[in-house]
Amino acid sequence: MRITQNMTSANSLYNIQQQRASLDKLQELTATGNNINQPSDDPIGANTLLDIGDQLKANTQFASNITKANTFLQMTSNALQGMSDTMHQVTQLADTVANGINDPTTTQSIVSQLQALKQTMVDMGNTQSGDQYVFGGAKNSAPPFSVTSPYYSGDETALKVEIGQSANQQMNIPGNQVLTGSSTSVPANTPYGTTNILDSIDKLITAVQSNDVSSAVGITAETKNLENGVTQINNAQTDVALRINRLSNTTSLNTNTSNTLQTIAGNIQNVDYAKMAVELSQQQTALQASLTTTSKVMQLSLLNYIPA
């Protein structure tokens, strides 16, 4: 096969173009700092980066949801702590009247204190997080609790948020399960207890105002109910604490997952500048050598092959 001058030129130009393309690619990688600048650079790697990007976006949303749920539960916890403190005052007064009081002035004072403490319990039950009642369920147009029977006008809707892949967390506690020990669900859902705390306070007030022999039985009964009410609120506090702890653990898990995903993405995408500098220098040298060689070859003619 005879190799013509045109074939030599075409081959030389092809080699130069290939080396120039390789150099351009290395310069692009150096300029962007990314190994993958378009899907064709590495289809598998590009797909992996897209998946990682979706997971990171999801984790960002999970973090936002957890923050919202944590704020809601912290407000709930504060309200429950206030209820617990108030209930201890109520039970102290109940113990006092259970021992018998003959002074009308003292009796009226205790009644006034119980009425004020009941109002405090209602106020705690109407605690808001932002513009949402934490114990009202999905009803938010009016306070869920009032001082008169049936006391609770909210509902038992579970307000849930997504905190991880296939992981949800209920962030609310229906107020009736805390203060009235009742449930509208079938079957009834009373996870903390069945004491109607507000009704027991009302009955205690009535018994104290009666101040007769029969009232002593009522006072004793309501004192026991109120002690159960304290346990009921404590149970709710434990539940909320467990939820807050789960949110904390999930936050750590999501953070670690995001860090791992970012490391993987960095390993795929980030350019190794030390390696790139060596390859770039080698490619520039190779291109320059090709240009020099080609320039000399292109200067040759048929006369160069005629013997002197």
Side-chain angles (χ1 to χ4, degrees), residues 5 7 25 46 57 79 81 109 120 141 167 169 177 182 194-195 215 219 234 244 276:
Q5 185 72 13
M7 294 174 63
K25 182 61 180 177
K57 289 178 183 177
Q81 184 59 54
S109 174
T120 299
S141 58
Q169 176 62 64
Q177 296 177 11
S182 61
T194 57
T195 301
S215 68
I219 291 173
N234 289 343
I244 292 174
M276 194 59 57

Side-chain angles (χ1 to χ4, degrees), residues 144-161:
F145 283 101
S146 65
V147 294
T148 57
S149 180
Y151 306 109
Y152 186 70
S153 60
D155 64 23
E156 293 182 80
T157 301
L159 305 179
K160 296 182 178 181
V161 293

Side-chain angles (χ1 to χ4, degrees), residues 72 75-76 78-80 82-83 118-137 139-148 151-155 173-176 178-180 198:
F72 201 94
M75 292 298 295
T76 303
N78 292 340
L80 289 173
M83 291 179 186
K118 177 192 171 188
Q119 181 63 60
T120 299
M121 294 294 288
V122 170
D123 292 341
M124 294 291 182
N126 292 332
T127 295
Q128 289 179 281
S129 178
D131 60 354
Q132 190 168 15
Y133 293 103
V134 299
F135 295 109
K139 291 186 177 181
N140 205 43
S141 58
F145 283 101
S146 65
V147 294
T148 57
Y151 306 109
Y152 186 70
S153 60
D155 64 23
I173 288 179
N176 57 330
V178 178
L179 291 185
T180 64
L198 298 179

Side-chain angles (χ1 to χ4, degrees), residues 17-140:
Q17 289 171 348
Q18 289 297 104
Q19 290 182 351
R20 181 72 235 184
S22 295
L23 180 60
D24 290 344
K25 182 61 180 177
L26 291 173
Q27 289 175 333
E28 179 187 27
L29 296 178
T30 302
T32 62
N34 296 328
N35 285 317
I36 303 173
N37 293 292
Q38 51 191 355
S40 59
D41 291 339
D42 181 355
I44 295 177
N47 187 63
T48 300
L49 290 176
L50 287 175
D51 289 342
I52 289 175
D54 290 342
Q55 292 180 63
L56 290 174
K57 289 178 183 177
N59 279 357
T60 298
Q61 184 60 57
F62 295 151
S64 177
N65 293 347
I66 288 173
T67 298
K68 176 183 178 181
N70 191 63
T71 299
F72 201 94
L73 286 169
Q74 289 290 352
M75 292 298 295
T76 303
S77 178
N78 292 340
L80 289 173
Q81 184 59 54
M83 291 179 186
S84 178
D85 294 340
T86 302
M87 282 299 294
H88 283 297
Q89 297 179 57
V90 171
T91 55
Q92 287 175 356
L93 288 173
D95 289 339
T96 298
V97 297
N99 294 326
I101 296 177
N102 297 320
D103 180 21
T105 302
T106 302
T107 298
Q108 184 55 48
S109 174
I110 290 176
V111 168
S112 297
Q113 291 179 65
L114 288 172
Q115 290 171 335
L117 291 172
K118 177 192 171 188
Q119 181 63 60
T120 299
M121 294 294 288
V122 170
D123 292 341
M124 294 291 182
N126 292 332
T127 295
Q128 289 179 281
S129 178
D131 60 354
Q132 190 168 15
Y133 293 103
V134 299
F135 295 109
K139 291 186 177 181
N140 205 43

